[in-house]
Amino acid sequence: DDKEISSSEIHQGVSFGSDSGSIFGIDPNSSIGINVNFSSNLEIESNVILSIDGPSGWDISWDSQDSPEAGREYAVSPDQIYWVQFSITSPSVFEGLPLSNSLHGVSMSIVSDQGELLDWYNFSMRYGYYEGVEIVQGGGASSIVPGGVLTLETIVRNTGNSIRSLDVEIVALDENGSMITVPGDYFEINNWSASIIESWRVSDLYPNSIGVAIVQIFSPGEVEGALDFEIRVSSPASPESVSSVSHMVNIVPRIGGSISISEDGCTMVEVLPGGKCEMEIVVTNTGDSNSQFSLDIMDLPEWATVDYRNDVFSLQPGSSSEAMTISCSVNEGTSSDLFAEVSIHLMID
């Protein structure tokens, strides 16, 4: 009973029941149980310490007050098999890591009570797939001119842990936010149309990388109206998990006008005191809706007066006014060799 054994004898007699190299699959943020056995072929009882080292960020637990890294002591008897039960919990995916199908090593070791390594068993955990997308920037409200074209960009991110080409769909919404078209890459409703273009910008996105979903909008020719629609992004491996954002596009008509000179009797013309010159101008509505216009004379010197149409007048889109006469008079007694540059401003009310 007092027989002593050497470390070399322990090394020959204490060993794990499996060879290293096993691979176990595990899903993200999940746990699995592991059972490993070892045995002793020694003639007498001896003390050994079994410990487990795992990858950083992974949790290994067993029913002992000692941590798996510190190890647990076993009194092993001859011809006995001992089972070690523990669980491994994988981390969640963060910023695309851990990658899918990546291997993460776990090492088990048995040492003598004198600290000599007796045997080891190494295995790996194969990390599973996580599918995820998010919209980083997009949605809101935009304006478009009647009969115009608008391009909208929505920034998306692949939050999964594998390379993915993302699916992008658009769908028109009613005033209650309910879908009124079938989700897809194109729709047309009430003379509005929308389509997804340049789909390659969301193809083959690496984990945690971003892409751009581009939607092109065509508005009707009316001066009033709005389109409410939703942009939906998902991974093809998980189509039921959708990230979405809504966008409102309002028709805002262009407002503008121009002045053209039809007859010019004033530019660079010499006018004597008490005399006058005349010119005719035409105003055109270059906007998309009926607008109210008026004229304003600026930079008029005190020695001159101008007669012109100073009331407010209305013009339809694309229409022009009749020729309007502007008369500029030089006051009696004005000194000679005076020069003035008078400006005619078109005001839109």
Side-chain angles (χ1 to χ4, degrees):
D1 291 340
D2 295 330
K3 180 180 179 181
E4 294 183 358
I5 58 175
S6 66
S7 294
S8 60
E9 290 177 309
I10 294 178
H11 182 66
Q12 295 173 0
V14 179
S15 62
F16 284 105
S18 299
D19 293 330
S20 294
S22 300
I23 298 176
F24 303 98
I26 188 169
D27 291 327
N29 192 29
S30 63
S31 299
I32 63 170
I34 302 290
N35 293 320
V36 178
N37 69 73
F38 68 95
S39 61
S40 170
N41 294 323
L42 297 174
E43 296 179 359
I44 63 172
E45 183 176 291
S46 57
N47 294 325
V48 297
I49 298 174
L50 184 146
S51 61
I52 309 172
D53 288 319
S56 176
W58 295 59
D59 181 67
I60 300 177
S61 60
W62 59 9
D63 58 347
S64 172
Q65 63 181 4
D66 298 315
S67 69
E69 293 82 4
R72 174 192 291 178
E73 186 174 5
Y74 289 85
V76 295
S77 300
D79 299 322
Q80 294 293 318
I81 296 177
Y82 298 88
W83 286 95
V84 182
Q85 296 179 332
F86 57 95
S87 65
I88 298 180
T89 301
S90 63
S92 300
V93 173
F94 178 70
E95 295 183 348
L97 298 175
L99 296 175
S100 62
N101 287 322
S102 57
L103 297 179
H104 304 266
V106 178
S107 179
M108 302 180 67
S109 62
I110 299 175
V111 299
S112 68
D113 55 3
Q114 286 133 13
E116 182 180 357
L117 177 63
L118 305 178
D119 199 12
W120 65 88
Y121 171 56
N122 297 330
F123 62 93
S124 299
M125 306 300 300
R126 187 188 301 277
Y127 197 77
Y129 285 87
Y130 174 76
E131 306 295 337
V133 298
E134 69 171 345
I135 294 179
V136 179
Q137 181 179 331
S142 301
S143 61
I144 190 172
V145 299
V149 181
L150 177 66
T151 300
L152 301 173
E153 294 187 353
T154 301
I155 300 177
V156 300
R157 186 191 305 276
N158 175 13
T159 59
N161 64 346
S162 60
I163 298 175
R164 290 297 186 207
S165 294
L166 303 185
D167 290 334
V168 181
E169 295 181 322
I170 51 177
V171 58
L173 307 175
D174 63 13
E175 61 274 9
N176 298 317
S178 300
M179 294 187 297
I180 52 178
T181 61
V182 177
D185 58 5
Y186 174 84
F187 69 77
E188 185 174 354
I189 186 171
N190 298 331
N191 295 323
W192 290 84
S193 67
S195 59
I196 298 170
I197 63 174
E198 300 183 13
S199 299
W200 59 268
R201 295 183 181 274
V202 293
S203 296
D204 297 328
L205 295 183
Y206 282 82
N208 200 43
S209 65
I210 63 173
V212 181
I214 302 180
V215 179
Q216 194 169 65
I217 307 294
F218 291 85
S219 66
E222 290 85 355
V223 296
E224 293 182 352
L227 173 68
D228 190 8
F229 72 100
E230 186 176 68
I231 302 171
R232 302 159 58 89
V233 185
S234 62
S235 167
S238 182
E240 71 282 353
S241 179
V242 176
S243 182
S244 64
V245 67
S246 60
H247 202 110
M248 176 73 75
V249 180
N250 296 286
I251 295 178
V252 178
R254 289 166 294 198
I255 298 176
S258 65
I259 297 176
S260 60
I261 299 175
S262 58
E263 292 187 17
D264 188 0
C266 290
T267 302
M268 303 304 293
V269 172
E270 205 174 273
V271 180
L272 298 175
K276 67 178 182 179
C277 67
E278 291 184 345
M279 64 187 307
E280 290 186 350
I281 65 168
V282 174
V283 175
T284 300
N285 181 357
T286 60
D288 298 309
S289 59
N290 292 342
S291 295
Q292 305 290 319
F293 298 92
S294 63
L295 300 177
D296 193 8
I297 305 299
M298 308 290 289
D299 304 321
L300 183 67
E302 60 181 10
W303 44 264
T305 58
V306 173
D307 291 327
Y308 64 99
R309 179 176 179 176
N310 59 1
D311 61 335
V312 176
F313 54 95
S314 178
L315 292 175
Q316 294 182 347
S319 65
S320 299
S321 68
E322 297 179 351
M324 295 181 286
T325 300
I326 296 178
S327 176
C328 183
S329 302
V330 177
N331 301 335
E332 292 281 0
T334 300
S335 301
S336 61
D337 296 329
L338 295 178
F339 176 82
E341 186 173 307
V342 180
S343 300
I344 305 172
H345 288 204
L346 180 62
M347 313 300 292
I348 303 177
D349 297 331

